[in-house]
Amino acid sequence: MNFLKDFFKRDSVQIAYLGLPVFGVILVLLFIVLPPVLKEFAYVKEFEIIEPLNEKSWKVLYDDPDPSVLNWWNCEKEVSCPGNRENKTLLNSTKFRGDEHFKILDQMRGKRYWIGYLVPKEQIKSWKDQNAKVLFLGYFYANYEVFLNGMKYLDGSAAKTIRPVALDLGNFPSEDVFVSVRLLHDMDEPYPDLVSNAGGMTATGFEKHIRNYELSNIYNSAYVGFSFGLGIFFLMLWLISWRRQEFAAFAAFALYHATSEMGMLPIFWYQLGNSIYHRWNYLGAWYEANLIIFLGLTLARVRIVKSQIVIYLLFLLP
């Protein structure tokens, strides 16, 4: 009851008027924007990997025989290249992309390595019979080169663009195909080769996957906008009632999350670079914990000066 009495005080009425535009925006989001977004989510999430490859059956060569070669243009004519089937070093490797793979990669930052998979012609035929148009490999968070039977298919860098790698099955010959990938582990990513969902995919399935990826970017953008708007809203409330420290805490928490999520957007991620992005995440976890403590103390109406000084010092520690 005391809350209702306080609400009709002069400053509370000002707060209520300030909140009307915010509630209007929320209603628009709920009844106009949200329904088509939910419909799109329901549609794009249902894409199928046809007969996925066993992620632990990928062969791995941790020792690049020629790391001085920055870019292999054609392994088909270079027997020294592990992507060449006659080379056999990768094809006959006894090491697989198993449970120890990422532990080994943790000691290989800045170095090159290879992964490879011999796809039987029966598997390729089965994919095509089920209307699969591409071999979906996954994502490579590294500089990478992809070869089919030694011939370079494509190359790229996750530092420039993050897109799924898919190989057109129309380019596959009617024989066993050796898919090999050379990666430079240079982006501070613990999992640079995400091929856990590799397998056949229809044209519609691949389109759904791309739309799902783009929708996640829209979701992150909306989250940034919502958090930023919420932060400004509570900041305005705090300026009206500056003694209410919980408003300041809510504003700081929301604005922090808006800033944190910005790093997930491609437009910022590509500018920051993966290394800075990860450092910001580690630093952000510290600030987030302190903001939660600060928010909890303000909601509990703790006004002890010593506790506030400790919180401020914690913010300065990193």
Side-chain angles (χ1 to χ4, degrees):
M1 295 301 294
N2 289 334
F3 171 77
L4 292 176
K5 291 179 182 179
D6 291 340
F7 182 80
F8 289 102
K9 289 182 180 179
R10 184 178 177 181
D11 61 338
S12 297
V13 172
Q14 291 176 349
I15 291 172
Y17 280 119
L18 184 64
L20 287 177
V22 176
F23 288 117
V25 171
I26 291 174
L27 289 176
V28 170
L29 289 173
L30 284 176
F31 295 102
I32 297 178
V33 178
L34 193 59
V37 171
L38 292 177
K39 185 178 179 180
E40 178 73 359
F41 261 121
Y43 175 72
V44 301
K45 73 178 183 179
E46 297 178 357
F47 59 87
E48 181 184 1
I49 304 294
I50 302 172
E51 298 180 7
L53 302 177
N54 186 347
E55 64 173 309
K56 294 185 179 181
S57 294
W58 284 79
K59 298 288 187 73
V60 185
L61 185 65
Y62 295 110
D63 299 319
D64 192 333
D66 200 346
S68 62
V69 178
L70 300 180
N71 200 322
W72 284 102
W73 289 107
N74 196 345
C75 279
E76 197 176 29
K77 297 180 180 179
E78 297 287 344
V79 181
S80 62
C81 176
N84 189 311
R85 289 183 63 173
E86 296 181 10
N87 182 280
K88 305 296 184 183
T89 53
L90 176 59
L91 189 62
N92 294 338
S93 175
T94 57
K95 296 180 180 178
F96 293 86
R97 188 184 175 279
D99 297 331
E100 299 296 317
H101 179 58
F102 299 111
K103 293 181 181 178
I104 297 173
L105 288 183
D106 192 47
Q107 309 299 321
M108 291 186 57
R109 297 181 186 274
K111 298 181 180 179
R112 299 181 188 274
Y113 70 99
W114 291 76
I115 61 172
Y117 200 108
L118 183 61
V119 185
K121 60 182 179 181
E122 294 80 12
Q123 178 66 79
I124 298 170
K125 183 179 183 302
S126 178
W127 283 333
K128 291 181 178 180
D129 289 344
Q130 297 178 69
N131 203 32
K133 300 299 181 184
V134 298
L135 167 56
F136 178 81
L137 287 185
Y139 292 83
F140 297 120
Y141 293 96
N143 285 285
Y144 60 88
E145 302 167 76
V146 181
F147 302 88
L148 295 182
N149 285 340
M151 182 177 293
K152 177 172 281 191
Y153 186 90
L154 58 85
D155 57 22
S157 171
K160 297 178 180 178
T161 180
I162 303 174
R163 286 291 185 274
V165 176
L167 312 180
D168 187 353
L169 287 175
N171 295 327
F172 281 46
S174 56
E175 60 183 22
D176 296 349
V177 174
F178 185 47
V179 179
S180 56
V181 186
R182 187 194 194 206
L183 300 106
L184 175 60
H185 188 18
D186 63 344
M187 293 185 62
D188 289 334
E189 274 286 345
Y191 310 107
D193 50 81
L194 295 181
V195 292
S196 54
N197 291 319
M201 191 178 282
T202 63
T204 302
F206 187 63
E207 180 195 356
K208 284 184 177 183
H209 182 83
I210 293 295
R211 284 169 64 173
N212 186 45
Y213 171 79
E214 292 174 346
L215 193 61
S216 68
N217 287 332
I218 295 174
Y219 167 79
N220 289 333
S221 300
Y223 186 83
V224 168
F226 177 76
S227 298
F228 187 74
L230 200 64
I232 295 298
F233 173 63
F234 278 106
L235 183 62
M236 296 291 288
L237 294 183
W238 179 63
L239 292 175
I240 292 173
S241 305
W242 63 272
R243 292 182 181 276
R244 303 284 294 272
Q245 290 188 14
E246 59 271 25
F247 289 156
F250 272 117
F253 190 73
L255 290 174
Y256 158 76
H257 270 282
T259 306
S260 176
E261 286 297 316
M262 280 183 183
M264 294 290 292
L265 303 178
I267 189 173
F268 293 103
W269 195 89
Y270 297 141
Q271 298 299 321
L272 289 174
N274 207 46
S275 181
I276 295 176
Y277 169 71
H278 281 295
R279 288 189 179 94
W280 167 246
N281 269 348
Y282 294 137
L283 189 64
W286 174 265
Y287 283 121
E288 183 175 20
N290 289 330
L291 285 169
I292 291 173
I293 296 172
F294 179 48
L295 182 58
L297 290 175
T298 57
L299 290 175
R301 295 289 193 272
V302 175
R303 298 293 186 265
I304 302 172
V305 176
K306 289 183 179 179
S307 64
Q308 294 176 351
I309 292 174
V310 170
I311 291 295
Y312 297 144
L313 288 176
L314 287 175
F315 279 115
L316 297 174
L317 271 182

